[in-house]
Amino acid sequence: MRVLLVGAGGVGSAIIRIAARRGFFDHFVVADYDLARAQAAVAFLGGAEQRFSACRVDASDEAAVTRLLTERGCDVLMNATDPRFVLPLFNAALAAGSHYLDMAMSLSRPHPQDPYSACGVKLGDEQFERAEEWEQSGRLALVGMGVEPGLSDVFARYAADELFDEIEEIGIRDGADLAVAGHAFAPSFNIWTTIEECLNPPVIFQRERGWFTTEPFSEPEVFDFPEGIGPVECVNVEHEEVLLVPRWVGARRVTFKYGLGDDFIDKLKTLHALGLDSTELVTVPGEDGPVRVSPRDVVAACLPDPATLGDRMTGKTCAGTWVKGTKDGLPREVYLYHVVENQWSMREYGSQAVVWQTAVNPVVALELIATGVWTGPGVLGPEALPPLPFLDLLTAYGSPWGIREQGRTPAKGH
């Protein structure tokens, strides 16, 4: 298998560090708008590793990406860019006859009249509109295959297959106790994506109502996270799992809640109040005359790159799926989870915990595709495919997952 990886930032760099320890592929072409960044990501592996090469590509240029896939003979495009570039990369892979894999889906657009009650364009809608073309091509577009979405969706399918007869509710719950020394505000993940998902109207699914929206940061609840993280207040956030899980897993209700904290929420609200979350271009003075720039890109440029925070970061991050329902006629409630400690991921891979946890899952999925374990044409979410091979391989990568069941001690190392 030959892979074109587009995006050599924090997650992209972690992807190649993880993949370099595996033997399922022939070559990774690592492409980025910034050639020096792609070259640095490859150079980190050392001169003895010859299965990676670097090049430049503009992820917004569909034709250029299509040519690169064809010229380099790549079987699959792995998208490690932010969601703005999903559609050109997704379309380029289809045009080139390659498989496709991403970690975030095409962007939503709020309902123009009723944004906090009704859905407008939902996350992934523009990708699922081309599902029939992907089916006819015989190629797989595996969408939302990071950690959340991604592993969280695999957990949902595993729970439905193995742990429950009927499911009342599936709730993705994400929390951490990470701290970054020396920074008053230093998001551990891409701020462009963080602003997008946190300030957009969150989506909720209910079987009787379908998909609908609510106010940002609504329905706060305190969730007790495992492995010493403890209680964290979580709030509704727009996320792909709510759009993916109901397509393949039967549940009466599906939600996503993120442990952000009051300080983080207040800063996001301030950015919104000042218009600094906007992606619309504004004109600002420059040394050589007026320049056009989006406020959100300015915010991103002023904040530290999340990939560089690992040495100053301490703590753990937890991604997981809480499921409530019945088994053998009795009520059951479990939390399936994956915890990564920053000290471990930095020591083992030189990647901070949040980006490493995101990166490991698409590499596991890619290996399952390369070995023919995960197959199927069309636009599919992770929950459309068998969960056990994925979870077994994740453990084999040295990153076990766990189950916490009410009234029992959490089980780890499945």
Side-chain angles (χ1 to χ4, degrees), residues 15-187:
I15 283 172
I16 68 171
R17 295 174 191 182
I18 296 165
R21 302 189 183 189
R22 308 296 295 185
F24 66 86
F25 65 94
D26 299 309
H27 195 81
F28 259 74
V29 179
V30 181
D32 197 279
Y33 188 81
D34 182 348
L35 176 59
R37 185 162 72 165
Q39 291 172 331
V42 171
F44 182 90
L45 303 176
E49 178 55 84
Q50 298 295 310
R51 294 179 298 162
F52 296 82
S53 59
C55 69
R56 183 189 181 278
V57 75
D58 181 348
S60 69
D61 189 338
E62 183 179 322
V65 176
T66 303
R67 286 195 301 273
L68 184 58
L69 283 164
T70 302
E71 291 170 358
R72 300 297 182 95
C74 293
D75 305 290
V76 59
L77 188 159
M78 180 178 282
N79 176 2
T81 65
D82 73 53
R84 287 174 291 181
F85 304 107
V86 163
L87 285 177
L89 296 175
F90 175 81
N91 292 333
L94 179 60
S98 301
H99 300 298
Y100 171 85
L101 191 153
D102 65 30
M103 289 156 272
M105 295 167 65
S106 59
L107 292 170
S108 64
R109 292 190 291 277
H111 192 283
Q113 285 82 41
D114 196 9
Y116 301 126
S117 180
C119 294
V121 175
K122 302 188 298 299
L123 291 168
D125 275 357
E126 292 173 293
Q127 291 175 281
F128 282 111
E129 285 174 1
R130 303 201 70 182
E132 186 175 347
E133 294 174 75
W134 277 91
E135 290 175 14
Q136 292 173 351
S137 76
R139 295 294 184 263
L140 169 63
L142 180 57
V143 297
M145 190 59 254
V147 60
E148 291 173 342
L151 177 58
S152 52
D153 303 74
V154 174
F155 283 152
R157 176 61 185 269
Y158 175 80
D161 287 356
E162 305 290 338
L163 304 179
F164 290 85
D165 297 323
E166 293 187 11
I167 293 176
E168 178 182 344
E169 183 168 357
I170 294 174
I172 315 307
R173 299 293 183 264
D174 181 298
D177 62 1
L178 295 169
V180 182
H183 292 283
F185 185 54

